[in-house]
Amino acid sequence: SRSISSSTLSYTWNTSGFSQTLNNMSFKPDGTRVIIVDTGLNNIVSYNLSTPWDLSTATAHYTKTGIQTNNRGIYFKSDGISVWINNASEILSYTLSTAWDISSTWTNTFQTMNSTTLQNHTGHLKDIHFSSDGTKFYLCDFVNRRVTEWDCSTAFRADTATYNNVSLDVYY
């Protein structure tokens, strides 16, 4: 059994070939694939897990390059076909031709939110997350240590979002 407790790390996952700036990850709901954002190399990398949720069973699947520069966050809709990637100042949306397979064809759906829209709401956009019904999404700004909440007039369409003046300032 491999576990992480407060005193012992009993398994270390080898990430050789990555840069020093892994930023975010997303798991396929059944735990058989993990997709990681590597900001330093501008890559998105996927691994298959032969035993669900067990990183020790990971094998490299595919490395995707050229999506955008300075990738920070990634969010997959539960269908695995709709995906959003963000860098420090914009959010781009794509559809994959095969669910949860980053080696398949990516089509830009042009649902872009850029620095003009986000200007007063993020100092450095780190991550994005949608509510389960897609009517809200959340932006994590690590410079201002704030999570902001946005309302989408069309579900899972960031380009229809408006800031609803709700935020959580994180202090510790």
Side-chain angles (χ1 to χ4, degrees):
S1 167
R2 292 175 173 88
S3 63
I4 297 175
S5 71
S6 60
S7 61
T8 305
L9 174 63
S10 59
Y11 180 74
T12 302
W13 192 24
N14 182 356
T15 56
S16 60
F18 283 107
S19 74
Q20 297 300 308
T21 51
L22 300 180
N23 257 313
N24 206 315
M25 65 183 169
S26 186
F27 280 86
K28 187 176 176 184
D30 67 4
T32 60
R33 181 165 289 162
V34 61
I35 298 167
I36 302 168
V37 175
D38 183 339
T39 299
L41 297 175
N42 290 317
N43 291 337
I44 299 168
V45 182
S46 66
Y47 284 85
N48 291 325
L49 306 176
S50 58
T51 301
W53 305 104
D54 185 348
L55 295 179
S56 70
T57 67
T59 56
H61 170 252
Y62 190 77
T63 299
K64 181 73 174 175
T65 60
I67 293 296
Q68 67 181 10
T69 59
N70 247 348
N71 298 316
R72 300 275 183 217
I74 190 166
Y75 177 81
F76 279 85
K77 189 175 170 186
S78 62
D79 65 7
I81 294 195
S82 301
V83 61
W84 291 261
I85 307 280
N86 67 271
N87 62 21
S89 60
E90 69 181 343
I91 302 164
L92 301 175
S93 64
Y94 298 89
T95 57
L96 301 179
S97 59
T98 304
W100 295 99
D101 185 353
I102 68 167
S103 69
S104 68
T105 303
W106 291 59
T107 303
N108 186 331
T109 59
F110 302 103
Q111 299 171 26
T112 303
M113 288 188 76
N114 59 29
S115 57
T116 303
T117 307
L118 301 170
Q119 176 178 350
N120 296 320
H121 302 286
T122 64
H124 199 128
L125 184 57
K126 179 73 169 179
D127 196 18
I128 179 174
H129 194 88
F130 280 89
S131 63
S132 59
D133 66 1
T135 59
K136 292 186 181 291
F137 82 90
Y138 305 86
L139 299 177
C140 182
D141 170 353
F142 77 87
V143 169
N144 294 311
R145 296 188 340 209
R146 178 176 296 135
V147 177
T148 56
E149 181 181 289
W150 299 66
D151 293 322
C152 298
S153 59
T154 303
F156 294 103
R157 292 286 307 256
D159 61 327
T160 70
T162 54
Y163 180 57
N164 66 11
N165 293 310
V166 175
S167 65
L168 172 65
D169 291 321
V170 181
Y171 298 100
Y172 41 90

